[in-house]
Amino acid sequence: MSTTPASVRRWVIRGTATAIAVVVAAGAVTAAHAIGTESDPGRPAGKTVVPVPADAERVCAGSALRLSDDAGNDATKASTVGSATVATATTGSTVERSALGSSTTGGSDPRLLTAPAGETTPQVAGSSYQSVSSGDLVGVGAASCDDPSQSTWLVGGSTETGRTSLVTLSNPTDVNATVDLSIFDDSGTVSAPGTTGIVVAPNTQKVVPLSGFVSDQGSTVVHVVSSGGQIVAHMQESIVRTLTPGGFDIVSGGAAPARTQIIPGVVLEGAQAAQRGDDTADAAPIVRLFVPGSKAARVTLGITTSDGGGSTVNATAEPGVVTDVALDDFPDGRYSFTVTSTEPLVAGARTTTPTEDDRTDLGWFASAEPLGASTITALAPGDNQRLTMVNPTRADAAVTIRTGDEEQRVDVVAGGTSTVIVPLSKQLTLTGTKGLVAGVTYMGSSGIAGFPVRAATEVSTPVRVYP
């Protein structure tokens, strides 16, 4: 949130109202404790406390980054390349957009989305998309706009030669956030100075190059934990294959460790062709797994399409190390991946596609949490967009997608997947989605990208207080 006088006043008023509500409630409860109720004089009556409506906020990932300025100097500071397009949705009256400030390490110019409170706390949602072609930074990236959180799992990235992975830490709150990064690779936990106690000032973003902690590692997972202010974390990865641009994408936060992980939308397009040429070992499609516990996990990867096709891949994931499971000989298409495991784990998928001038683009696809009965989203403008919904429940689902006065019904059978075309840059209201998982994918001549659809933000509800 920007620190304008208006925003400061809004926080002060909200804090005062909350304080008054608490004082009134405390007085009422005390009185009830003293006199009881008319029907039962010896029993405290209690008091219903209604939370004060609050603004809803999410943060978008921002624009593409490179570690230098426009002249190629100052390789210790990240600078933006082009700008991302953002689409928004809200159950309130409007969405305000503001920028978070950068730090000494640079910034991606992330957008803070704020839906002002009305009689109730509204919902807000959004996504970003960018196609970039500037020197050796070429490709497309997409990301969800996310709630601030104290814990985020980023499944992706590489620090091998020609690979740049940048973790962005956005703090939309009015207090300092102290961030610890737990970094894992295929050898185990990375131990390096500077991974703990990273301070992100209020209403700013800090950019942290992964190569500052671990070098020449092709398989990484980062767990971001914050205290004080909450953080929205993303990761940007860009690739140069020898001298040829190899793509750009943004890693959105994935679902927390669980025995079942669903990656609802994954694009496979020209995977074999993308692996031709030099320095293409990491162009093969993979599912990346990490088990944070102490026991090895037996894993089954179920791969399905909306036409009912699919197959399974079995693997073992050792604890404490990152495991990449190769996916070979799958035809082009849009897939959903369901990972079932004997131990809690996190998961993400990476694919690569050929683009123009013998270049390639990579796409990172995050796992997603189940949706509630309804949610809102909006797709930023991009190429050949699709919404994929996965139904891991035992009951068929009838989903309704509303856009203004238009309505689309989608049946998602139990255990099945449905992929549909939905409008761009418009608010989508999804109902009938309880227990489903959804994701968005893009696929065009410039590259591939995707992001998970987020569940509605949990808001405080009235509570009954007793002395």
Side-chain angles (χ1 to χ4, degrees), residues 261 268 285-289 297-304 309-317 323-331 335-342 345:
Q261 295 283 359
L268 282 173
I286 57 99
V287 171
R288 182 162 296 178
L289 307 173
R298 297 189 303 275
V299 178
T300 298
L301 171 62
I303 303 171
T304 58
S311 62
T312 59
V313 175
N314 296 317
T316 299
T323 301
D324 286 349
V325 180
L327 303 175
D328 297 322
D329 301 326
F330 283 91
Y335 295 83
S336 63
F337 295 169
T338 299
V339 180
T340 55
S341 169
T342 56
L345 48 63

Side-chain angles (χ1 to χ4, degrees), residues 56-132:
E57 294 181 340
R58 286 190 176 179
V59 179
C60 306
S63 302
L65 292 170
R66 65 156 48 104
L67 275 179
S68 66
D69 57 23
D70 292 339
N73 301 318
D74 195 7
T76 62
K77 186 174 183 179
S79 59
T80 58
V81 179
S83 60
T85 302
V86 173
T88 65
T90 184
T91 59
S93 58
T94 187
V95 177
E96 300 172 357
R97 303 187 188 194
S98 57
L100 297 180
S102 60
S103 65
T104 56
T105 60
S108 67
D109 193 26
R111 299 288 100 176
L112 171 63
L113 308 181
T114 303
E119 294 183 359
T120 60
T121 298
Q123 295 288 327
V124 69
S127 65
S128 63
Y129 177 94
Q130 183 178 4
S131 178
V132 61

Side-chain angles (χ1 to χ4, degrees), residues 21-366:
V22 171
V23 170
V24 170
V29 171
T30 301
H33 182 65
I35 65 175
T37 65
E38 184 176 350
S39 60
D40 188 358
R43 182 178 181 182
K47 175 69 176 179
T48 299
V49 179
V50 180
V52 176
D55 296 350
E57 294 181 340
R58 286 190 176 179
V59 179
C60 306
S63 302
L65 292 170
R66 65 156 48 104
L67 275 179
S68 66
D69 57 23
D70 292 339
N73 301 318
D74 195 7
T76 62
K77 186 174 183 179
S79 59
T80 58
V81 179
S83 60
T85 302
V86 173
T88 65
T90 184
T91 59
S93 58
T94 187
V95 177
E96 300 172 357
R97 303 187 188 194
S98 57
L100 297 180
S102 60
S103 65
T104 56
T105 60
S108 67
D109 193 26
R111 299 288 100 176
L112 171 63
L113 308 181
T114 303
E119 294 183 359
T120 60
T121 298
Q123 295 288 327
V124 69
S127 65
S128 63
Y129 177 94
Q130 183 178 4
S131 178
V132 61
S133 180
S134 175
D136 56 14
L137 184 59
V138 179
V140 299
S144 54
C145 304
D146 294 340
D147 289 315
S149 173
Q150 292 181 321
S151 174
T152 304
W153 287 90
L154 299 172
V155 182
S158 170
T159 61
E160 291 182 317
T161 301
R163 281 70 180 162
T164 301
S165 296
L166 306 174
V167 178
T168 59
L169 305 172
S170 301
N171 177 9
T173 73
D174 292 329
V175 297
N176 282 339
T178 302
V179 178
D180 295 339
L181 302 180
S182 297
I183 304 171
F184 310 94
D185 58 25
D186 58 11
S187 299
T189 303
V190 173
S191 179
T195 56
T196 60
I198 301 169
V199 177
V200 185
N203 303 295
T204 68
Q205 182 193 73
K206 180 163 285 189
V207 181
V208 181
L210 207 55
S211 59
F213 309 117
V214 56
S215 61
D216 200 30
Q217 285 292 335
S219 303
T220 55
V221 170
V222 180
H223 186 203
V224 180
V225 176
S226 69
S227 59
Q230 294 184 320
I231 287 291
V232 174
H234 293 89
M235 180 193 296
Q236 295 195 18
E237 182 182 359
S238 58
I239 294 178
V240 178
R241 305 187 189 280
T242 311
L243 297 176
T244 304
F248 149 77
D249 204 7
I250 300 173
V251 181
S252 295
R259 287 183 171 85
T260 299
Q261 295 283 359
I262 298 176
I263 309 171
V266 180
V267 176
L268 282 173
E269 179 70 19
Q272 296 299 320
Q275 298 175 60
R276 299 176 188 142
D278 298 330
D279 192 21
T280 57
D282 61 352
I286 57 99
V287 171
R288 182 162 296 178
L289 307 173
F290 177 72
V291 178
S294 59
K295 296 181 180 179
R298 297 189 303 275
V299 178
T300 298
L301 171 62
I303 303 171
T304 58
T305 60
S306 58
D307 61 6
S311 62
T312 59
V313 175
N314 296 317
T316 299
E318 296 296 331
V321 298
V322 179
T323 301
D324 286 349
V325 180
L327 303 175
D328 297 322
D329 301 326
F330 283 91
D332 292 349
R334 284 179 164 94
Y335 295 83
S336 63
F337 295 169
T338 299
V339 180
T340 55
S341 169
T342 56
E343 298 294 328
L345 48 63
V346 294
R350 183 200 67 213
T351 68
T352 307
T353 188
T355 56
E356 300 171 345
D357 301 325
D358 295 324
R359 298 171 175 173
T360 58
D361 185 42
L362 81 156
W364 277 107
F365 304 94

